[in-house]
Amino acid sequence: MNRPDIPLLALIVPCYNEEEILPKTMDALSSVLIECKAKGLIQDESYALYVNDGSADGTWRLLEERHAADPFCRAISFAGNAGHQNAVWAGMITARDWGVDCIISLDADLQDDIAAIPRMLEQYANGSDIVYGVRCDRSTDTAFKRRTAHMFYGIMRWLKVPLIPDHADYRLVSRPVLEILDNIREQGLFLRGLFPSLGFRHSEVHYERRERTAGESKYPFWKMVSFAWKGITSCSVAPLRLAGLMSFILMLAALAYTCVSLFKYVMGDTIQGWTSMIIVVLLLGSVQLFCLALMGEYIAKMFAEVKNRPRYIVEKKLYAGQPVRASLPKDDDPEQDA
């Protein structure tokens, strides 16, 4: 597939209760689009696509007001909260169906430095199908968050999961990659592990992550732990094998202890027994329960996959004037969505 000299770009911005910071975000992204258009990096029809992930505040109202004044601000809204990863996915699918040549996904809190967008477009022009935005350092994080992040990336490397350290969801994705998304049907999306596994030509752009200027983080500690666990179990079966290895090692230890106990019994030695027995019982029982819980986690994932429910439901769209490409469904009437 030949690339256009000047791509049609969509900025994909998932939003969940971002009323406080959204006006500033929309102004900033509008400015960077105007700048890139003036430099001839993107087509004049390029736009920002906001995905309202079931916000309970005035996020959608602000998007409607901006869309009425700025046709390059477009949006879709979910019927309910579907999660950050599904919001990014929906934005990519929608932009692809509306005919873009590439997308750049970024968070609405402006912590991802939008000054890196022109450099991403340069890497795209040089042939990269995926351009990862990678943080130069984690100086804006707390010491605890830095240590846990490094621990997470270390575990993922040990599990042989293809992951880009210090990369979140700030990335450019070209149309050839967007075209294959329909073939990826898994329910538990972990995009940070998915894109590096696809094998397309990629590159990295480094930037300094800024501090949040308004609003609250949508990833508190326990949600980050849940997200990390989801990433581990979505991208690797190594934990299951580790559980099996632990069970095997403890089985050998229990067998050895049994042989020692029988030998002492035959020799007539008195075995006090209680302390050692209770230690073995508790140890074996806890490992068995851990292995069962781990297998239950994977069974739960299979249950979700078998149900095959939609990841999200798009309730509303703000759309107008987008050029139609061959990939646009014939029954998709842009005027009806406006």
Side-chain angles (χ1 to χ4, degrees):
M1 180 178 179
N2 294 327
R3 287 183 172 178
D5 294 333
I6 303 178
L8 178 63
L9 171 70
L11 301 178
I12 307 300
V13 188
C15 304
Y16 178 65
N17 293 340
E18 302 288 359
E19 180 180 17
E20 188 174 353
I21 198 173
L22 192 57
K24 182 178 179 180
T25 300
M26 291 189 292
D27 288 340
L29 295 185
S30 177
S31 297
V32 77
L33 284 174
I34 292 173
E35 177 186 348
C36 290
K37 292 174 184 179
K39 292 180 178 179
L41 297 176
I42 57 177
Q43 294 184 23
D44 290 340
E45 294 80 10
S46 298
Y47 57 90
L49 174 58
Y50 299 86
V51 183
N52 179 36
D53 186 19
S55 299
D57 60 2
T59 296
W60 184 249
R61 172 182 54 80
L62 291 174
L63 291 172
E64 288 181 317
E65 292 174 355
R66 178 58 69 99
H67 173 73
D70 180 6
F72 298 109
C73 171
R74 307 185 182 176
I76 61 176
S77 181
F78 290 168
N81 180 251
H84 177 272
Q85 299 291 277
N86 285 323
V88 176
W89 185 275
M92 292 191 297
I93 292 292
T94 302
R96 181 202 65 184
D97 292 343
W98 288 353
V100 298
D101 298 305
C102 60
I103 66 94
I104 294 178
S105 60
L106 68 162
D107 292 338
D109 54 17
L110 291 180
Q111 289 186 273
D112 297 323
D113 185 9
I114 60 176
I117 289 177
R119 288 187 283 139
M120 287 183 166
L121 291 169
E122 290 175 3
Q123 292 297 323
Y124 168 81
N126 291 332
S128 295
D129 286 302
I130 304 175
V131 183
Y132 299 105
V134 180
R135 298 175 61 172
C136 295
D137 57 64
R138 306 188 72 95
S139 58
T140 57
D141 292 344
T142 62
F144 175 77
K145 189 170 183 180
R146 282 196 299 271
R147 286 194 293 268
T148 53
H150 292 153
M151 184 185 303
F152 170 70
Y153 288 118
I155 292 173
M156 296 299 270
R157 281 195 300 269
W158 181 69
L159 295 176
K160 307 299 182 183
V161 176
L163 207 63
I164 308 296
D166 296 323
H167 163 69
D169 288 291
Y170 190 22
R171 70 178 71 87
L172 180 148
V173 181
S174 69
R175 186 167 189 85
V177 182
L178 297 175
E179 292 286 4
I180 69 166
L181 295 185
D182 287 338
N183 297 323
I184 302 172
R185 302 183 180 276
E186 60 194 70
Q187 298 290 313
L189 290 173
F190 184 68
L191 299 180
R192 302 180 194 186
L194 173 63
F195 282 105
S197 69
L198 296 180
F200 285 85
R201 181 177 177 182
H202 64 274
S203 58
E204 299 178 6
V205 166
H206 293 82
Y207 69 98
E208 293 185 2
R209 187 169 172 84
R210 302 174 178 177
E211 295 183 0
R212 174 182 277 267
T213 57
E216 297 180 352
S217 172
K218 304 307 183 294
Y219 276 94
F221 174 73
W222 287 112
K223 193 169 182 179
M224 286 295 297
V225 171
S226 176
F227 184 67
W229 180 247
K230 177 182 177 181
I232 291 171
T233 55
S234 295
C235 299
S236 175
V237 297
L240 280 176
R241 293 170 180 163
L242 178 62
L245 178 62
M246 291 171 58
S247 301
F248 179 71
I249 292 173
L250 287 173
M251 182 185 69
L252 293 179
L255 180 61
Y257 185 80
T258 300
C259 292
V260 171
S261 300
L262 289 174
F263 176 76
K264 286 183 174 292
Y265 177 78
V266 171
M267 296 300 293
D269 293 343
T270 301
I271 302 176
Q272 297 298 323
W274 171 251
T275 302
S276 57
M277 183 185 68
I278 201 66
I279 290 174
V280 171
V281 169
L282 291 176
L283 182 60
L284 291 177
S286 62
V287 170
Q288 288 171 348
L289 289 175
F290 172 76
C291 294
L292 287 173
L294 190 59
M295 288 186 285
E297 177 70 20
Y298 281 89
I299 291 172
K301 287 183 176 294
M302 289 188 287
F303 177 64
E305 296 293 336
V306 168
K307 287 192 296 185
N308 197 30
R309 292 181 179 176
R311 299 190 187 107
Y312 52 85
I313 297 174
V314 176
E315 183 180 31
K316 301 174 183 176
K317 295 181 182 180
L318 299 175
Y319 174 97
Q322 180 66 22
V324 177
R325 297 285 181 88
S327 61
L328 187 67
K330 294 181 180 179
D331 58 350
D332 190 352
D333 184 0
E335 296 301 322
Q336 293 179 356
D337 292 331

